[in-house]
């Protein structure tokens, strides 16, 4: 009888359940993984686990209006990189809280460090996306793979492209195991109300706009 190792259980959780749990709850990937490990890979128990921690409610809160918030700025040491970002929430009470201020500073510092070009993938100009797709298609053709395999390779590399240029999809500089989108979702769970980023700008000395 084959003994299932802890490593195999973790692989099964990662591969088969985390995505499903995330789709159902909107919780960040790491929280979904922790919930499944704590619930013996049981989806229903994992949902309860996340709800008890206030994490699973984040997805529902994301549809609520965010009319309050802050415009924050960050100047990187050396005074050669500056960032402004508008971070929104539902109430002035949350906007003025020290934790929200720290959260917004984290986002501004990330923008300074990671240089995102767009807020989200929908903001990438169609002509730039098509140019990138053609480059990736040429690269995939050089691998001499079947058509279906090439399409998967192109889509996978497009995801990496989005993760490079889109703020919400970039790995968070303070914890690269989560995306900025997941970090925002964790903030929604923490503050108990919707949080969003509506716009940002990044300036670098000598850089032409």
């Amino acid at each position: 009888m084959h003994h299932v190792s802890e490593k195999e259980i973790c692989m099964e959780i990662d591969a088969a359940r985390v995505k499903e749990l995330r789709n159902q709850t909107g919780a960040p990937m790491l929280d979904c993984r922790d919930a499944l490990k704590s619930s013996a890979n049981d989806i229903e128990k994992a949902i309860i686990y996340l709800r008890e921690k206030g994490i699973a409610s984040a997805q529902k809160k994301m549809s609520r209006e965010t009319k309050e918030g802050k415009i924050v700025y960050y100047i990187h040491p050396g005074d050669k990189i500056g960032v402004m970002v508008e971070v929104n929430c539902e109430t002035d009470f949350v906007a003025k809280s020290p934790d929200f201020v720290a959260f917004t500073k984290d986002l501004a510092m990330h923008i300074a460090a990671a240089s995102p070009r767009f807020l989200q993938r929908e903001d990438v100009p169609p002509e730039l996306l098509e140019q990138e797709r053609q480059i990736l298609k040429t690269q995939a053709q050089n691998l001499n793979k079947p058509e279906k395999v090439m399409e998967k390779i192109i889509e996978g590399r497009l995801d990496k492209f989005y993760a490079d240029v889109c703020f919400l999809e970039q790995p968070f500089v303070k914890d690269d195991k989560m995306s900025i989108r997941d970090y925002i979702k964790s903030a929604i769970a923490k503050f108990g109300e919707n949080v969003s980023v509506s716009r940002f700008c990044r300036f670098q000395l000598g850089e032409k706009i």
Side-chain angles (χ1 to χ4, degrees):
M1 183 176 178
H2 175 63
H3 175 69
V4 180
S5 68
E6 184 179 347
K7 182 178 180 181
E8 289 174 315
I9 292 174
C10 289
M11 287 177 64
E12 182 183 352
I13 288 172
D14 288 347
R17 297 296 181 95
V18 173
K19 187 175 181 180
E20 181 182 351
L21 182 59
R22 185 184 183 192
N23 288 341
Q24 288 192 39
T25 65
M29 297 288 282
L30 287 178
D31 290 309
C32 287
R33 188 174 294 118
D34 289 343
L36 287 166
K37 287 179 180 178
S38 299
S39 308
N41 211 16
D42 185 300
I43 288 284
E44 295 305 317
K45 290 180 180 178
I47 290 174
I48 293 171
Y49 174 94
L50 289 170
R51 283 178 177 164
E52 288 175 348
K53 288 185 171 293
I55 297 171
S57 59
Q59 189 68 29
K60 291 182 180 179
K61 290 186 176 71
M62 290 181 73
S63 63
R64 301 198 317 220
E65 282 191 286
T66 50
K67 294 183 177 180
E68 296 293 339
K70 284 185 177 297
I71 294 176
V72 297
Y73 65 89
Y74 168 75
I75 305 298
H76 191 68
D79 299 334
K80 294 184 178 180
I81 297 175
V83 169
M84 290 185 70
V85 56
E86 181 177 339
V87 187
N88 305 108
C89 57
E90 294 181 49
T91 65
D92 189 51
F93 175 78
V94 165
K96 290 180 177 178
S97 69
D99 284 346
F100 186 79
V101 173
F103 167 70
T104 61
K105 290 294 185 182
D106 274 350
L107 296 179
M109 288 173 62
H110 172 93
I111 292 167
S115 305
R117 297 170 61 187
F118 310 100
L119 179 64
Q120 56 195 349
R121 63 172 62 193
E122 290 82 5
D123 297 332
V124 178
E127 60 273 16
L128 177 59
L129 183 60
E130 182 57 30
Q131 180 185 52
E132 188 67 22
R133 187 182 289 274
Q134 288 303 318
I135 292 171
L136 295 176
K137 185 175 181 180
T138 300
Q139 292 175 348
Q141 287 172 340
N142 292 335
L143 298 175
N144 296 318
K145 300 287 185 180
E147 189 69 26
K148 288 184 178 180
V149 175
M150 283 200 300
E151 281 301 315
K152 288 184 178 179
I153 291 172
I154 292 170
E155 291 307 312
R157 290 181 178 178
L158 269 180
D159 285 340
K160 290 182 179 179
F161 167 74
Y162 286 129
D164 283 339
V165 301
C166 298
F167 174 66
L168 294 179
E169 303 204 23
Q170 288 181 326
F172 182 32
V173 292
K174 285 190 171 183
D175 182 358
D176 61 9
K177 291 183 175 63
M178 71 164 69
S179 67
I180 288 295
R181 179 178 279 107
D182 285 339
Y183 183 50
I184 291 173
K185 284 182 179 180
S186 69
I188 293 171
K190 179 177 182 178
F191 298 125
E193 61 181 59
N194 194 12
V195 174
S196 63
V197 176
S198 56
R199 54 185 170 168
F200 69 86
C201 59
R202 180 184 184 277
F203 298 93
Q204 185 160 345
L205 189 67
E207 184 178 68
K208 292 183 180 181
I209 299 175

